[in-house]
Amino acid sequence: MQFSPGQWSLIERMHANFNDREVHTRLPMPIARFRKTASETIHENARQLDDVRTVSIGDGWLAERADDGASDIMSRHARLYNDEVDAMMSVLVPSARYRKGHYAYGRFTAPQPHGLHTDHSAEDPDCTGEPICIARIETLGTHYLAGDYREHDPGTQSMLKALRYWIPVPEGEPDCILAELLRRQTIKTIPVNHVMLMVAGNSSENAQITQHIAARPPDGGLHSAFFQRQYRLT
């Protein structure tokens, strides 16, 4: 991935202070792109399942999968993703250290998104913003709230509440509200097959957390894959 001068300026500010709130309003940022052959292989592997398989990447994950590279395609790609994202993060956010991660793949059938959320770092209730990298493969992109969420007018804040809890509000039903906020570009969509640098964390008023929501699959579901890697700052 080649960075523009504006992106390099953003990276330099993250080096100086990752929790620069204005920097957070400019995330997520693409930091890599999956090669076509890799995304096609991952997607084809996801198409073999009629449900969703989710795998947490804990302390014993690498040891448990040391010998299954040939038979478990998805774990092999997850291992490559982990290694390469760690290498990129060592340049983009040198103080970042791996905290946790997971990947999921198969036929996603949830009739609605699970709500606008921020990937809270429950391990550290006092943390502000922390790096998180996500990627969706081939289908089912991720929507995110663009800019500073505190600057929206009360009506838009109410609409965002509808998406956060997936409930009707005076402004309308959540499905219609999502379409309207996408039209306004208040909510934007992360392109598939990209690794995106976002920011997770808890409710510190000094942090701008990337609020995001999974795209809604059509009736009958849609095959896709998802990788996530979350970091803490040292």
Side-chain angles (χ1 to χ4, degrees):
M1 177 67 68
Q2 292 183 334
F3 297 112
S4 68
Q7 288 173 322
W8 274 118
S9 174
L10 186 65
I11 291 166
E12 289 171 353
R13 290 180 64 174
M14 286 192 294
H15 283 184
N17 175 19
F18 183 79
N19 278 301
D20 180 330
R21 183 179 176 85
E22 199 277 328
V23 167
H24 289 175
T25 67
R26 296 164 64 185
L27 298 177
M29 180 178 75
I31 61 173
R33 180 182 298 173
F34 278 73
R35 293 185 179 91
K36 188 173 188 295
T37 53
S39 61
E40 288 176 346
T41 300
I42 292 168
H43 189 227
E44 185 57 34
N45 194 240
R47 288 173 59 86
Q48 306 306 308
L49 293 180
D50 276 333
D51 57 1
V52 176
R53 181 173 299 165
T54 301
V55 180
S56 295
I57 302 176
D59 292 339
W61 183 83
L62 284 174
E64 292 169 2
R65 288 163 174 77
D67 300 320
D68 68 359
S71 60
D72 188 343
I73 293 172
M74 204 59 78
S75 72
R76 175 156 46 90
H77 280 284
R79 190 155 42 238
L80 291 171
Y81 174 83
N82 295 344
D83 292 344
E84 294 186 11
V85 171
D86 281 351
M88 286 185 287
M89 289 299 289
S90 70
V91 174
L92 298 174
V93 189
S95 62
R97 298 294 181 269
Y98 172 70
R99 183 195 290 283
K100 64 179 181 179
H102 73 271
Y103 58 98
Y105 60 103
R107 185 166 66 95
F108 290 78
T109 58
Q112 63 212 24
H114 59 276
L116 198 64
H117 67 289
T118 59
D119 281 304
H120 293 256
S121 296
E123 299 88 345
D124 184 0
D126 297 323
C127 79
T128 51
E130 295 186 332
I132 179 173
C133 294
I134 71 168
R136 288 189 178 272
I137 305 302
E138 290 300 311
T139 54
L140 281 181
T142 297
H143 306 313
Y144 67 96
L145 178 59
D148 191 335
Y149 59 81
R150 298 193 304 191
E151 294 184 355
H152 293 294
D153 61 81
T156 302
Q157 293 281 5
S158 178
M159 296 169 80
L160 294 173
K161 180 180 178 180
L163 300 188
R164 184 168 292 110
Y165 302 107
W166 207 253
I167 58 173
V169 293
E171 289 75 15
E173 297 290 329
D175 271 319
C176 295
I177 285 173
L178 177 59
E180 172 61 18
L181 292 183
L182 283 167
R183 185 192 67 79
R184 296 184 190 176
Q185 294 196 332
T186 303
I187 299 285
K188 295 186 177 182
T189 304
I190 293 172
V192 296
N193 301 338
H194 284 67
V195 181
M196 306 296 296
L197 173 61
M198 304 169 69
V199 57
N202 283 295
S203 300
S204 169
E205 63 180 20
N206 297 320
Q208 160 82 24
I209 309 304
T210 306
Q211 301 190 47
H212 56 284
I213 182 171
R216 180 171 183 165
D219 291 341
L222 200 62
H223 289 89
S224 187
F226 173 71
F227 297 86
Q228 177 171 306
R229 195 154 176 83
Q230 191 163 325
Y231 298 82
R232 58 182 173 81
L233 300 179
T234 57

